[in-house]
């Protein structure tokens, strides 16, 4: 049977008429996939950079929040001062409460540790209760007078040494000048800290003014405070070097 010219001649290898494509996808589809992948990688990079920036700027945000609360308390009148001081304390507790709790629990113990390392601290009384009494005479009790010292030396020395000591003691003339004794200065009583009690409204207002002003004087130094916050954050986030295994555990188990 013969076919007309309208029918194409079949390829003997049964090859497709179009050019071969990778897994049969159009090049435009592959271009779109690669473009989407590049966009996702770029978006992930910018998100990571932004997250790091936000983490670093947390110190400045903490400083700014506390600074704003401090300025509000500084500008408050007498009637609103107590409320603004309480608001300042609340902001500090919300932003730095756990950090202050950690530092407060360590500060006193670190101070004692530093004093012990430096060799400072309360001195314990000795068992003897002070220096040993000075013996003024030659007798066994050590309480003889200067006039009796020659006799004690005469009795214990024996021979010519005793006679020489007796003659030397006899030739010593004790002269006492009669002058009034200088009065001893009275020992000042130990100072005791002022008792803590309830303040009047005026006293409380004055105390709040002083406390808020002192806090503001310390916190207003932005570079120093932000630097301290960032240094503390970096210190708490640093795991440090990995601990080295000493091998004692293996030796212990191996012995059993």
């Amino acid at each position: 049977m013969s076919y007309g010219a309208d029918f194409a001649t079949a390829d003997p290898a049964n090859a497709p008429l179009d050019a071969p494509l990778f897994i049969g996808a159009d090049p435009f589809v592959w271009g779109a996939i690669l473009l989407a992948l590049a966009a996702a990688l770029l978006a992930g990079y910018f998100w990571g950079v932004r997250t790091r920036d936000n983490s670093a700027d947390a110190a400045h945000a903490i400083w700014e929040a506390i600074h704003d609360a401090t300025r509000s308390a500084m500008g408050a009148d007498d009637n609103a001062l107590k409320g603004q001081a309480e608001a300042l304390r609340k902001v500090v507790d919300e932003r730095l409460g756990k950090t202050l709790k950690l530092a407060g629990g360590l500060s006193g113990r670190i101070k004692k540790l530093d004093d012990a390392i430096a060799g400072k601290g309360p001195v314990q009384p000795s068992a003897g209760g002070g220096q040993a009494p000075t013996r003024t005479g030659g007798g066994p009790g050590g309480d003889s007078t200067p006039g009796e010292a020659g006799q004690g030396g005469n009795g214990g020395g024996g021979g010519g040494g005793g006679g020489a000591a007796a003659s030397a003691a006899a030739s010593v003339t004790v002269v006492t000048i009669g002058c009034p004794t200088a009065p001893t200065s009275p020992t000042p009583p130990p100072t005791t800290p002022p008792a803590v009690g309830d303040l009047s409204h005026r006293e409380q207002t004055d105390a709040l003014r002083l406390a808020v002003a002192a806090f503001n004087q310390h916190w207003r130094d932005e570079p120093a405070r932000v630097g301290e916050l960032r240094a503390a954050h970096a210190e708490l986030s640093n795991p440090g070097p990995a601990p080295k295994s000493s091998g004692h555990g293996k030796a212990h188990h191996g012995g059993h």
Side-chain angles (χ1 to χ4, degrees):
M1 176 183 290
S2 62
Y3 295 93
D6 295 335
F7 294 93
T9 304
D11 186 63
N14 295 324
L17 298 178
D18 297 331
L21 296 177
F22 187 62
I23 64 173
D26 191 86
F28 179 78
V29 176
W30 278 111
I33 292 175
L34 293 176
L35 184 62
L37 182 60
L41 293 175
L42 189 63
Y45 171 77
F46 281 110
W47 181 81
V49 171
R50 191 171 185 180
T51 302
R52 288 193 297 269
D53 291 342
N54 291 337
S55 177
D57 289 340
H60 186 272
I62 293 173
W63 178 87
E64 189 173 4
I66 297 177
H67 181 63
D68 292 343
T70 306
R71 293 180 61 185
S72 299
M74 289 287 294
D77 57 13
D78 290 351
N79 295 326
L81 178 59
K82 186 174 184 294
Q84 292 297 330
E86 292 174 348
L88 169 61
R89 186 65 183 87
K90 183 179 180 181
V91 173
V92 172
D93 187 64
E94 289 175 350
R95 304 309 299 263
L96 293 175
K98 294 179 176 61
T99 305
L100 292 176
K101 184 178 180 180
L102 172 65
L106 288 174
S107 59
R109 293 162 178 82
I110 292 295
K111 178 64 169 58
K112 292 182 179 180
L113 180 61
D114 290 340
D115 290 343
I117 293 174
K120 299 179 181 178
V123 179
Q124 300 294 333
S126 60
Q131 296 180 354
T134 303
R135 299 180 62 180
T136 58
D143 54 353
S144 60
T145 60
E148 298 171 348
Q151 299 176 4
N154 189 15
S167 61
S171 63
V172 175
T173 304
V174 179
V175 179
T176 303
I177 300 175
C179 61
T181 306
T184 59
S185 58
T187 304
T191 58
T192 57
V196 178
D198 295 334
L199 302 177
S200 64
H201 179 70
R202 182 70 265 167
E203 292 172 341
Q204 184 183 21
T205 303
D206 294 341
L208 286 172
R209 290 285 180 199
L210 292 175
V212 171
F215 187 90
N216 177 68
Q217 183 66 27
H218 174 76
W219 194 258
R220 64 188 300 177
D221 190 354
E222 179 180 358
R225 302 292 84 80
V226 172
E228 290 172 353
L229 289 172
R230 287 177 176 171
H233 178 267
E235 186 176 55
L236 293 174
S237 303
N238 181 17
K244 298 179 180 179
S245 59
S246 59
H248 293 294
K250 295 180 178 179
H252 177 73
H253 290 294
H256 290 285

